[in-house]
mmCIF file of all heavy atoms in Angstrom:
data_model
loop_
_atom_site.group_PDB
_atom_site.id
_atom_site.type_symbol
_atom_site.label_atom_id
_atom_site.label_comp_id
_atom_site.label_asym_id
_atom_site.label_seq_id
_atom_site.Cartn_x
_atom_site.Cartn_y
_atom_site.Cartn_z
ATOM 1 N N ARG V 364 7.174 25.894 5.439
ATOM 2 C CA ARG V 364 6.679 26.932 6.350
ATOM 3 C C ARG V 364 5.160 27.113 6.262
ATOM 4 O O ARG V 364 4.640 28.187 6.480
ATOM 5 C CB ARG V 364 7.418 28.248 6.142
ATOM 6 C CG ARG V 364 8.940 28.079 6.232
ATOM 7 C CD ARG V 364 9.713 29.350 6.194
ATOM 8 N NE ARG V 364 9.387 30.292 7.250
ATOM 9 C CZ ARG V 364 9.803 30.221 8.524
ATOM 10 N NH1 ARG V 364 10.542 29.215 8.910
ATOM 11 N NH2 ARG V 364 9.478 31.146 9.384
ATOM 12 N N ARG V 365 4.472 26.040 5.967
ATOM 13 C CA ARG V 365 3.004 26.041 5.946
ATOM 14 C C ARG V 365 2.527 25.444 7.277
ATOM 15 O O ARG V 365 1.961 24.369 7.339
ATOM 16 C CB ARG V 365 2.510 25.264 4.731
ATOM 17 C CG ARG V 365 2.867 25.999 3.427
ATOM 18 C CD ARG V 365 2.673 25.210 2.177
ATOM 19 N NE ARG V 365 1.338 24.699 1.997
ATOM 20 C CZ ARG V 365 0.957 23.994 0.935
ATOM 21 N NH1 ARG V 365 1.817 23.752 -0.035
ATOM 22 N NH2 ARG V 365 -0.269 23.524 0.832
ATOM 23 N N PHE V 366 2.791 26.208 8.329
ATOM 24 C CA PHE V 366 2.648 25.712 9.689
ATOM 25 C C PHE V 366 1.211 25.403 10.090
ATOM 26 O O PHE V 366 0.962 24.418 10.782
ATOM 27 C CB PHE V 366 3.283 26.695 10.680
ATOM 28 C CG PHE V 366 4.747 26.901 10.443
ATOM 29 C CD1 PHE V 366 5.231 28.162 10.113
ATOM 30 C CD2 PHE V 366 5.645 25.848 10.540
ATOM 31 C CE1 PHE V 366 6.579 28.356 9.886
ATOM 32 C CE2 PHE V 366 7.003 26.038 10.324
ATOM 33 C CZ PHE V 366 7.470 27.303 9.985
ATOM 34 N N SER V 367 0.272 26.225 9.686
ATOM 35 C CA SER V 367 -1.111 25.966 10.113
ATOM 36 C C SER V 367 -1.634 24.664 9.501
ATOM 37 O O SER V 367 -2.294 23.876 10.184
ATOM 38 C CB SER V 367 -2.032 27.143 9.782
ATOM 39 O OG SER V 367 -2.042 27.385 8.394
ATOM 40 N N GLU V 368 -1.329 24.414 8.230
ATOM 41 C CA GLU V 368 -1.744 23.154 7.595
ATOM 42 C C GLU V 368 -1.060 21.960 8.260
ATOM 43 O O GLU V 368 -1.685 20.914 8.505
ATOM 44 C CB GLU V 368 -1.386 23.153 6.109
ATOM 45 C CG GLU V 368 -2.193 24.103 5.262
ATOM 46 C CD GLU V 368 -1.659 24.129 3.842
ATOM 47 O OE1 GLU V 368 -1.870 23.129 3.118
ATOM 48 O OE2 GLU V 368 -1.028 25.128 3.464
ATOM 49 N N ALA V 369 0.225 22.123 8.551
ATOM 50 C CA ALA V 369 0.979 21.043 9.187
ATOM 51 C C ALA V 369 0.431 20.741 10.579
ATOM 52 O O ALA V 369 0.292 19.578 10.959
ATOM 53 C CB ALA V 369 2.457 21.416 9.274
ATOM 54 N N THR V 370 0.079 21.790 11.317
ATOM 55 C CA THR V 370 -0.436 21.597 12.675
ATOM 56 C C THR V 370 -1.735 20.795 12.659
ATOM 57 O O THR V 370 -1.910 19.866 13.453
ATOM 58 C CB THR V 370 -0.643 22.955 13.368
ATOM 59 O OG1 THR V 370 0.618 23.627 13.431
ATOM 60 C CG2 THR V 370 -1.192 22.780 14.771
ATOM 61 N N VAL V 371 -2.631 21.133 11.744
ATOM 62 C CA VAL V 371 -3.898 20.398 11.649
ATOM 63 C C VAL V 371 -3.642 18.922 11.349
ATOM 64 O O VAL V 371 -4.192 18.034 12.002
ATOM 65 C CB VAL V 371 -4.818 21.031 10.573
ATOM 66 C CG1 VAL V 371 -6.015 20.143 10.298
ATOM 67 C CG2 VAL V 371 -5.259 22.422 10.998
ATOM 68 N N ALA V 372 -2.789 18.655 10.364
ATOM 69 C CA ALA V 372 -2.492 17.267 9.989
ATOM 70 C C ALA V 372 -1.805 16.528 11.136
ATOM 71 O O ALA V 372 -2.132 15.376 11.438
ATOM 72 C CB ALA V 372 -1.620 17.233 8.739
ATOM 73 N N SER V 393 5.977 22.768 14.056
ATOM 74 C CA SER V 393 4.904 23.502 13.371
ATOM 75 C C SER V 393 4.248 24.513 14.306
ATOM 76 O O SER V 393 3.891 25.616 13.879
ATOM 77 C CB SER V 393 3.861 22.552 12.781
ATOM 78 O OG SER V 393 3.087 21.952 13.784
#
Side-chain angles (χ1 to χ4, degrees):
R364 307 187 59 78
R365 293 169 56 179
F366 300 118
S367 60
E368 290 174 72
T370 300
V371 170
S393 71

